[in-house]
Amino acid sequence: MTIWLYCLFGNEELLMPYFLRHYAPQVDRLFMLDGNSDDATRAVIAACPNASIEASPFIDGGYDEYALVDYLSEKSREARGRADWAVVVDVDEFLYDPRGLRAALDAYRKYGMRAVRASGCQMIAEEFPTGEGQLTDIVRTGLRDREYDKLAAFDPWLDVAWSPGRHNCKIDVWAHQTGLKLLHYRYFGPAYLRERNARNYARLGEADIA
């Protein structure tokens, strides 16, 4: 079974090591789409053997959420005939199953599933974590958040049309809500959250702000 992952990134040098540590052992290829990064994030990704950095329409700024979901719908079609599953996540979204992502997706396909919707959780810590471990082991406190239930993995032969934020989508088959969790990591104390929100807002294009 082959899994391809797609993720748009900006300035995420703090979180990216945890992201790669989580996903790189579980997927075959990570297509990391540069969204106007100018810190050390690219260097962190470049050190990951199965990750590649690609330009995106947002590499020079002007990020637009409506344009992004259309772009991801088209981009994920590159996996057709080459991967069994396409996974589309943000840098702060960690898909978690105690069996491991690969084992979970393999089981889902054996049951005939072609699209999986993960159950959202907001994870919380008083400060940004440190250490070489897995973030899913370090920060285990969180709250169920149905607003963050999202299509997590799908057969790339399916056409997907997301709403802005990818919270909802149209897809050709039933998206099964299984035990797969989407752990959303951004609440690492007020200072981190303020800085992250300000950084993300600065990326927005005129259309998004309007």
Side-chain angles (χ1 to χ4, degrees):
M1 186 183 65
T2 304
I3 306 169
W4 283 11
L5 178 147
Y6 297 88
C7 179
L8 180 75
F9 70 92
N11 287 347
E12 294 285 0
E13 61 182 314
L14 290 178
L15 194 55
M16 187 59 69
Y18 287 110
F19 179 92
L20 296 174
R21 206 175 297 153
H22 177 75
Y23 282 112
Q26 303 195 78
V27 306
D28 296 278
R29 296 192 64 182
L30 299 95
F31 296 90
M32 306 302 293
L33 313 171
D34 195 346
N36 197 27
S37 174
D38 58 10
D39 65 357
T41 306
R42 290 176 60 92
V44 174
I45 297 170
C48 181
N50 57 335
S52 58
I53 299 172
E54 298 188 4
S56 80
F58 318 104
I59 195 168
D60 295 320
Y63 174 85
D64 181 271
E65 186 64 37
Y66 289 89
L68 173 62
V69 292
D70 290 342
Y71 172 69
L72 290 174
S73 294
E74 184 64 31
K75 185 70 176 174
S76 61
R77 292 173 184 166
E78 294 178 358
R80 291 179 173 179
R82 305 165 75 184
D84 302 290
W85 289 98
V87 171
V88 178
V89 289
D90 295 333
V91 178
D92 59 3
E93 295 176 343
F94 287 51
L95 297 176
Y96 177 79
D97 185 287
R99 297 169 292 180
L101 180 60
R102 183 178 293 275
L105 293 180
D106 185 47
Y108 300 152
R109 184 55 56 87
K110 288 178 179 177
Y111 281 109
M113 301 180 193
R114 299 178 65 200
V116 177
R117 187 172 173 86
S119 299
C121 300
Q122 297 287 358
M123 308 305 291
I124 302 168
E126 293 184 0
E127 58 186 8
F128 194 87
T130 59
E132 297 298 319
Q134 293 287 346
L135 188 56
T136 53
D137 293 328
I138 299 170
V139 179
R140 298 180 60 84
T141 299
L143 299 170
R144 178 77 169 95
D145 187 349
R146 296 182 185 279
E147 182 69 21
Y148 273 79
D149 290 4
K150 291 185 177 183
L151 179 71
F154 56 94
D155 183 337
W157 286 105
L158 297 169
D159 288 321
V160 181
W162 279 286
S163 65
R166 294 185 296 102
H167 295 276
N168 295 290
C169 71
K170 293 181 180 179
I171 192 168
D172 301 334
V173 299
W174 180 257
H176 298 265
Q177 190 137 7
T178 62
L180 187 66
K181 290 182 172 60
L182 187 155
L183 306 182
H184 189 223
Y185 286 100
R186 65 175 176 177
Y187 291 108
F188 297 127
Y192 175 87
L193 185 61
R194 282 195 299 268
E195 191 277 332
R196 180 181 176 83
N197 287 345
R199 185 173 74 240
N200 288 341
Y201 185 81
R203 298 169 60 202
L204 299 181
E206 293 181 3
D208 251 19
I209 293 172

